[in-house]
Amino acid sequence: MIVLDGVGMTYRADSGTVEALRDIAFTVDRGELVTLVGPSGCGKSTLLRIIAGLRPASAGRTVVDGRPVTRPIAAVGMVFQAPVLLKWRRIVDNVLLPAELAGLNPDDYRARAGELLRLVGLGDFGDKLPRELSGGMQQRAALCRALLLDPPLLLMDEPFGALDAMTRDELNLELLRVWGEGSQRRKTVLFVTHSIAEAVFLADRVVVMTPRPGRVASVVPVRLPRPRTTATRASADFGALTLQIHDVLSRPA
Amino acid sequence: MKVRALQRHAPSLLLFAALLAIWQLVPPLLNVREYLVPGPTAVVRAALSSSIPWHTHLWVTTIEILGGFALAGAAGVALGVAIAWSPTIARALVPFLVFVNTLPKVAVAPLFLLWLGYGIVPNVLIAALIGFFPVVINTAVGLTQVDDELLDLGRAFGAPAWKVFAKIRLPNALPYVLSALKITATAAVVGAIVGEFVASQAGLGTVIVNAQTNLNTPVAFAALLWISIIGLALYGAVGLAARWWAPWADTT
């Protein structure tokens, strides 16, 4: 689904040229959930924007769904660190925004929007304004917005990073449910985080990145059984994987 | 509910009543003449007196204020949109607007009268000139202070610029514009009165100038009372509009 080959990114700043990404190469298969973990400043978010076609890379090849990325790709759902809901719209109308932006008739998607909101426990909140919801609920609504047009690919940029630990754990489970952990029709997900535990808990594979310039240090397969539960976090395998990634990150470059 | 509202406003109402009482009672005790400081009852009597054609003056001044307010709002939003739309237009326009805004409008007023003659039109223009600048700035800021991620969403779904403008930028700017219009509401009152001070045949500002020459101070105070009523009404109307159109924003 996603193929990155030698992707690099340099940009000019006041202090001279800055190399943000160097020689990034990995793939994400269809239906796979890959997490991208690394310290802040390693270019994770930039990489996500390159894949979405929102920013051109300065080197290498980016291919999504068999096509080289040269402009914003349409069949993608995006979730950001902040919910960025439109403050003046009710939750359900926020969820419908992608349909409007894409030039579709939002009325055709009302039923689906309601269904998505019910799925994440916001069934009774469609008529509320964003400010009437907690941060976690707003982020759930943002997830529904990303899923509205049923995109095959989800790009998530530290979506739960600003939430408290309990809400974050809860939303991790919810994401896995929405992703279709038990079903065959899974979406492809690339999920950026700076939490090692979150990266391991969600992933089929974890791409570990090191900073300045951002490089792939290691790709760690996660063979923990699915569906994952709260008990997964307590297993020995989970602990071992977390430690392994921690070691990769603290290794001197 | 009503009791609670009364409790909330009680301090300001009490203060107001106390000031009125002092105003009414203290000057006579100190032997201050009415033509220097007329008491509140004298002012109200003058404000309701039929010896001054109040409704004509009220009408003229209200039209000038509303006209100036509307013109400042329309021109301000249009210029703000232009500035937010194109960096080139912004670079061309902003220094010029800053220059116009730093001109003392009171000093420009005689020129307007020279060019346009007496009447409502020059006073409308002065009112608009005093009030338009905050609208320009707030409109431009409101249109551009949009989360990058929202603009990314627009790009990702291939939305044309006008659609991003209509669905994201414009509603985002609305609370900014409305809070600028509150400033414009008070500025338009100042502008209209300044115009009337310089030269005019009708309007509450004219009443004040004439009352001053006749030492008819109660009438001058009464005109002031009417001006403040118009100003408060306009300010209140804009506040209500803000609550109605932009309930998501906490504008007070």
Side-chain angles (χ1 to χ4, degrees):
Chain A
M1 185 79 181
I2 303 176
V3 180
L4 298 171
D5 187 11
V7 171
M9 181 77 184
T10 45
Y11 57 89
R12 231 169 255 126
D14 293 339
S15 52
T17 55
V18 176
E19 190 176 19
L21 294 168
R22 181 188 292 175
D23 201 21
I24 303 287
F26 65 88
T27 60
V28 181
D29 295 333
R30 193 174 298 278
E32 196 180 20
L33 198 165
V34 170
T35 54
L36 205 58
V37 70
S40 34
C42 73
K44 306 178 298 257
S45 301
T46 308
L47 188 57
L48 221 53
R49 266 156 221 276
I50 290 173
I51 294 167
L54 293 168
R55 223 176 148 170
S58 28
R61 223 162 49 95
T62 309
V63 179
V64 173
D65 214 6
R67 274 188 294 271
V69 175
T70 53
R71 55 194 183 90
I73 54 173
V76 63
M78 292 208 290
V79 186
F80 311 97
Q81 179 162 8
V84 288
L85 301 172
L86 300 176
K87 300 187 278 286
W88 53 90
R89 287 187 172 215
R90 299 177 305 148
I91 292 298
V92 62
D93 295 320
N94 262 291
V95 173
L96 288 168
L97 180 70
E100 293 175 43
L101 289 175
L104 303 162
N105 182 358
D107 285 333
D108 297 342
Y109 290 85
R110 254 169 222 289
R112 172 158 172 84
E115 193 183 306
L116 284 167
L117 286 171
R118 266 194 301 284
L119 190 68
V120 299
L122 290 179
D124 295 331
F125 293 89
D127 286 335
K128 301 269 188 228
L129 286 173
R131 68 161 184 197
E132 299 174 88
L133 271 61
S134 70
M137 290 160 96
Q138 291 192 25
Q139 200 54 285
R140 285 187 171 95
L143 181 61
C144 293
R145 178 178 64 189
L147 292 168
L148 181 76
L149 301 181
D150 202 14
L153 174 63
L154 272 183
L155 297 177
M156 309 182 78
D157 188 2
E158 300 191 24
F160 310 138
L163 304 176
D164 64 87
M166 269 163 71
T167 311
R168 173 194 278 225
D169 289 352
E170 212 175 288
L171 277 171
N172 279 335
L173 284 167
E174 219 142 87
L175 171 65
L176 289 178
R177 209 153 47 80
V178 171
W179 172 55
E181 194 165 41
S183 82
Q184 291 301 303
R185 261 185 77 248
R186 288 176 181 173
K187 296 184 180 304
T188 310
V189 181
L190 185 58
F191 185 106
V192 166
T193 175
H194 56 243
S195 155
I196 298 174
E198 185 175 46
V200 172
F201 182 76
L202 294 172
D204 292 317
R205 283 186 301 148
V206 180
V207 175
V208 188
M209 287 179 67
T210 54
R212 287 177 247 284
R215 269 184 297 191
V216 176
S218 175
V219 179
V220 180
V222 179
R223 297 204 179 81
L224 299 169
R226 290 191 189 275
R228 296 194 183 149
T229 62
T230 312
T232 307
R233 295 179 207 276
S235 70
D237 289 344
F238 184 85
L241 282 162
T242 311
L243 198 62
Q244 184 189 341
I245 292 169
H246 192 269
D247 284 346
V248 173
L249 280 170
S250 51
R251 209 162 47 199
Chain B
M1 188 67 198
K2 262 181 193 155
V3 174
R4 199 173 293 169
L6 203 65
Q7 271 174 349
R8 197 154 57 89
H9 292 297
S12 65
L13 288 174
L14 277 174
L15 179 64
F16 188 63
L19 288 174
L20 277 182
I22 292 170
W23 180 15
Q24 180 69 48
L25 298 174
V26 172
L29 290 177
L30 300 174
N31 258 335
V32 177
R33 298 292 179 73
E34 192 172 71
Y35 72 82
L36 287 176
V37 182
T41 46
V43 171
V44 170
R45 217 179 303 127
L48 300 173
S49 145
S50 53
S51 63
I52 306 272
W54 286 114
H55 56 272
T56 313
H57 296 302
L58 268 170
W59 174 249
V60 167
T61 302
T62 305
I63 290 297
E64 288 168 357
I65 291 171
L66 288 181
F69 176 78
L71 192 60
V77 168
L79 287 167
V81 167
I83 285 170
W85 188 262
S86 147
T88 313
I89 294 179
R91 276 196 296 275
L93 220 48
V94 170
F96 180 70
L97 290 176
V98 169
F99 164 71
V100 170
N101 190 51
T102 53
L103 284 177
K105 258 68 75 177
V106 186
V108 183
L111 290 175
F112 274 50
L113 293 164
L114 183 70
W115 293 330
L116 299 163
Y118 295 156
I120 285 179
V121 178
N123 296 346
V124 166
L125 284 179
I126 293 162
L129 199 63
I130 289 189
F132 86 105
F133 196 67
V135 185
V136 180
I137 297 302
N138 270 27
T139 304
V141 168
L143 289 173
T144 42
Q145 296 271 316
V146 175
D147 289 312
D148 285 339
E149 286 90 346
L150 281 172
L151 302 178
D152 279 349
L153 281 184
R155 289 174 61 207
F157 292 106
W162 67 264
K163 198 174 251 180
V164 172
F165 193 82
K167 294 203 182 286
I168 296 174
R169 289 187 187 274
L170 215 50
N172 190 66
L174 193 56
Y176 292 79
V177 175
L178 288 166
S179 74
L181 285 178
K182 284 187 187 171
I183 303 171
T184 305
T186 36
V189 175
V190 176
I193 300 301
V194 161
E196 290 175 356
F197 273 2
V198 173
S200 221
Q201 278 131 351
L204 295 167
T206 319
V207 172
I208 291 180
V209 173
N210 292 339
Q212 187 197 6
T213 44
N214 303 331
L215 285 185
N216 194 350
T217 320
V219 168
F221 268 77
L224 210 57
L225 180 66
W226 284 120
I227 292 168
S228 69
I229 287 172
I230 303 174
L232 281 174
L234 183 58
Y235 188 87
V238 177
L240 279 181
R243 241 191 262 170
W244 178 259
W245 277 324
W248 66 89
D250 285 311
T251 49
T252 42

